[in-house]
Structure formats: C-alpha cells, structure tokens
C-alpha cells in the first residue's frame, strides 16, 4: 500500500522494526535518512533509517553492532574502500568500482554493492538521453569519475577523461580498459580539451559551495555540447551549468543521481523494485526539500 500526500508523521519504531543506516564521518549533513525514511513511509514499511557517525579507526569495531542490529546500511566518505575488508561477499560491479556504498545483511552475512553508477544511468534514462555512440568528456579522475566512466563505456560511449594530473587520468584509463574490456577511452589534461563532445560530465568538486564561482573548464570548452551533467547538487545550479544553459545545452545537476542510487539501494535491501508511483512522489518531495535546505 502506498501512502499519499507530503505530510509526514514520523517513523514509529518497535521491536519488529527493521533498521537501516548510513555510516560515515562526518555524517550530520547527509540527506539519506530523509530520502530513505520517506520511501519506507510511502510503502507503509515497518523500517527506519538513521545516520551513524563512525570514525575511520572504529570501522572494524562497528561491524558486530551493524551485523546484529541492522538489515543493511549505506557507506559514505571516508569508508567506501575500507568497508570492503570486512564484508563476506562483494558484488562484481562494486569490485570493478573499487568501492562499496551499500551493504545488505542477510543470515548474518554482509554483502557489498555499489549503486552510484546505476543511479547515474537511471538519472540519464529518466531524461530520455541515449548513450550509444556519444562522445563524452569526463572531468576528473577520482572515485566518482571511475564509476561514471565505467557506466558510460558499458552504455556504448567513447569517453575522454580529463584531469589536471594527466598521469592519474592515464592510470584511470588503463584501469577501466582492464575492468570493462572496452578500449573506447582516452585521457588528456585540462589544457588539451577541444570542442566537439556530445556530453560533458563534471565529476570534480570544482564549483561546490562555497566556491561557487569556480569552473573546472572554460566556457569556450563547453562548445555547444548537447548535455552538461554536473554531479554537484550544492549549489543547485553551478557556474558550469549556468554557462552551459546560456549556450543552449541541456543541463542536469547531481541530485537525480543521488536520489536514484538511494532507490537502487532500497531495491537491493527489499529484493524487489520500488513502485514508480513512490519514486516519482518522493523525487519531487526531496527535490523541494533539498532546494529548501539550500535556501532556494
């Protein structure tokens, strides 16, 4: 049964409530509890989700508590790699990414997944955007870049990874060829960027609040791209997205990816799809919630 409306009465926890969490340090800024608890409430599920601050040196010691009291948990900075040491099983996608952001606990066993890339792909699909045969400029060579590039390659794109540190971009290129078996990837530094890409994806933190006047590339480098996707969602419209929109490009910020990776995590925990009615309703509610938090 799906609960209608935006008003929320809060989650009542009893002895039968299944508990979920997000672990990280810091964790107070996370909007994950708001997203997940809204979905649980819409589905009338006796489940609750909470933030748990766990310091890096305490991860190993927290495993028994998580194993014995929770049905699953999300993992955020700085634990996405460290948590892998303590899991009983790891999904192949998470192995390829080299990071885990979702853990399901079943019969005392911890299995790790990574839903970030699937969240990115779903956010693209929701907009009716096609990937096959598109030339994509990917800015950055960190963990988010690896995830996005992996999915773009699987989707049939030709990807160019651009990074200030060219050596790191070249290393990521080699790692992705190995994990995907796909050779359709190049690397360049930011000074070598040329126009002519169908899509541009910013997977760097450049432009994040409070440094909102920064851009990872120049306006000229946008060069009439069909789509500019910035993984940042604070601010809602980065300088990069504003410049892209002014030039006629379609734009997407990082909120849809954040939302749909959370939906995929819930589907893993529940073992079934979340109804589209629920995801559509919570998406709009959370979009308003985030804008309100950002003072919009």
């Amino acid at each position: 049964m799906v609960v209608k409306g935006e008003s929320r009465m809060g989650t009542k926890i009893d002895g039968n409530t299944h508990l979920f969490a997000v672990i990280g340090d810091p964790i107070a800024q996370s909007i994950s509890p708001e997203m997940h608890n809204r979905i649980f409430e819409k589905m009338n599920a006796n489940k609750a989700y909470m933030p748990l601050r766990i310091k890096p040196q305490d991860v190993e010691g927290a495993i028994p508590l998580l194993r014995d009291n929770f049905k699953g948990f999300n993992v955020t900075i700085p634990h996405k790699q460290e948590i892998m040491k303590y899991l009983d099983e790891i999904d192949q996608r998470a192995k390829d990414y080299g990071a885990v952001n979702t853990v399901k606990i079943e019969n005392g066993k911890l299995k790790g997944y990574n839903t970030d890339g699937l969240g990115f792909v779903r956010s693209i699909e929701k907009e009716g955007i096609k990937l096959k045969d598109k030339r994509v400029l990917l800015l950055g060579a960190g963990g988010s870049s690896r995830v996005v590039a992996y999915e773009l390659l699987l989707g049939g794109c030709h990807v160019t990874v651009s990074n200030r540190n060219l050596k790191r971009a070249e290393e990521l290129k080699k790692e992705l060829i190995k994990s995907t078996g796909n050779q359709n990837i190049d690397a360049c530094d930011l000074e070598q960027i040329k126009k002519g890409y169908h899509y541009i994806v910013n997977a760097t933190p450049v432009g994040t609040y409070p440094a909102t006047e920064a851009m990872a590339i120049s306006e000229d480098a946008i060069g009439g791209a069909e789509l500019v996707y910035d993984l940042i969602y604070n601010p809602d419209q980065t300088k990069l997205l504003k410049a892209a929109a002014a030039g006629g490009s379609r734009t997407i910020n990082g909120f849809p990816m954040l939302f749909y990776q959370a939906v995929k995590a819930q589907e893993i925990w529940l073992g079934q799809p979340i109804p589209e009615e629920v995801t559509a309703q919570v998406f709009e509610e959370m979009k308003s919630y985030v804008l309100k938090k950002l003072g919009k």
Side-chain angles (χ1 to χ4, degrees):
M1 175 182 176
V2 176
V3 179
K4 304 284 187 182
E6 172 142 0
S7 63
R8 300 172 65 236
M9 301 300 292
T11 302
K12 180 180 178 181
I13 298 176
D14 58 31
N16 295 314
T17 303
H18 288 172
L19 300 178
F20 298 84
V22 55
I23 67 169
D25 183 28
I27 201 64
Q29 81 290 349
S30 175
I31 66 170
S32 291
E34 190 72 23
M35 283 194 291
H36 286 284
N37 283 320
R38 281 178 186 257
I39 295 172
F40 287 148
E41 289 175 10
K42 292 286 187 293
M43 296 182 68
N44 269 350
N46 188 7
K47 304 178 189 302
Y49 186 105
M50 64 194 70
L52 293 177
R53 183 191 176 198
I54 296 177
K55 297 177 182 179
Q57 64 269 26
D58 296 331
V59 173
E60 182 176 9
I63 296 299
L65 173 70
L66 292 164
R67 188 191 305 273
D68 293 342
N69 294 279
F70 290 81
K71 293 294 184 180
F73 58 94
N74 289 130
V75 187
T76 190
I77 295 172
H79 306 321
K80 287 188 174 185
Q81 290 80 38
E82 179 68 16
I83 195 67
M84 297 175 79
K85 299 179 185 177
Y86 311 111
L87 304 178
D88 301 295
E89 190 177 348
I90 300 176
D91 177 72
Q92 185 59 51
R93 219 180 202 93
K95 289 180 182 177
D96 290 341
Y97 291 166
V100 161
N101 80 334
T102 299
V103 177
K104 182 174 184 175
I105 303 173
E106 208 167 25
N107 300 319
K109 301 291 185 181
L110 278 65
K111 182 171 181 179
Y113 301 83
N114 194 312
T115 65
D116 286 333
L118 297 173
F120 172 76
V121 171
R122 192 162 177 182
S123 70
I124 291 282
E125 291 174 344
K126 284 287 183 181
E127 294 294 326
I129 295 166
K130 306 301 182 183
L131 295 180
K132 187 171 175 56
D133 298 325
K134 297 295 184 178
R135 297 185 304 278
V136 183
L137 174 64
L138 177 61
L139 305 174
S144 295
S145 297
R146 177 195 293 269
V147 165
V148 170
Y150 183 99
E151 297 300 334
L152 290 172
L153 289 169
L154 290 186
C157 295
H158 188 291
V159 179
T160 298
V161 179
S162 184
N163 194 55
R164 290 190 186 281
N165 184 334
L166 179 57
K167 181 180 178 182
R168 179 65 197 113
E170 293 282 5
E171 289 172 351
L172 181 57
K173 171 186 170 180
K174 292 176 183 175
E175 292 164 5
L176 285 163
I177 289 173
K178 183 178 179 181
S179 63
T180 66
N182 193 321
Q183 300 278 340
N184 291 326
I185 182 166
D186 294 311
C188 71
D189 64 36
L190 294 178
E191 304 303 319
Q192 296 175 309
I193 293 175
K194 298 178 181 178
K195 298 179 182 180
Y197 293 98
H198 295 112
Y199 305 156
I200 298 173
V201 180
N202 179 38
T204 78
V206 179
T208 306
Y209 179 85
T212 56
E213 290 306 305
M215 280 176 58
I217 56 173
S218 68
E219 290 187 30
D220 288 343
I222 297 171
E226 296 173 24
L227 169 72
V228 177
Y229 194 135
D230 198 330
L231 301 194
I232 295 167
Y233 70 90
N234 183 12
D236 175 61
Q237 293 296 307
T238 59
K239 187 175 181 181
L240 174 63
L241 292 184
K242 289 177 181 177
S249 300
R250 189 173 183 178
T251 63
I252 303 176
N253 75 359
F255 172 73
M257 176 177 172
L258 177 69
F259 178 78
Y260 289 115
Q261 66 79 25
V263 170
K264 183 60 183 177
Q266 283 229 8
E267 290 176 344
I268 288 170
W269 291 331
L270 301 178
Q272 63 185 47
I274 304 298
E276 182 59 33
E277 180 184 356
V278 172
T279 59
Q281 188 176 356
V282 178
F283 181 90
E284 293 303 322
E285 289 181 12
M286 285 304 304
K287 191 161 65 172
S288 298
Y289 173 84
V290 170
L291 288 174
K292 197 174 295 183
K293 279 183 71 74
L294 299 180
K296 299 292 184 181

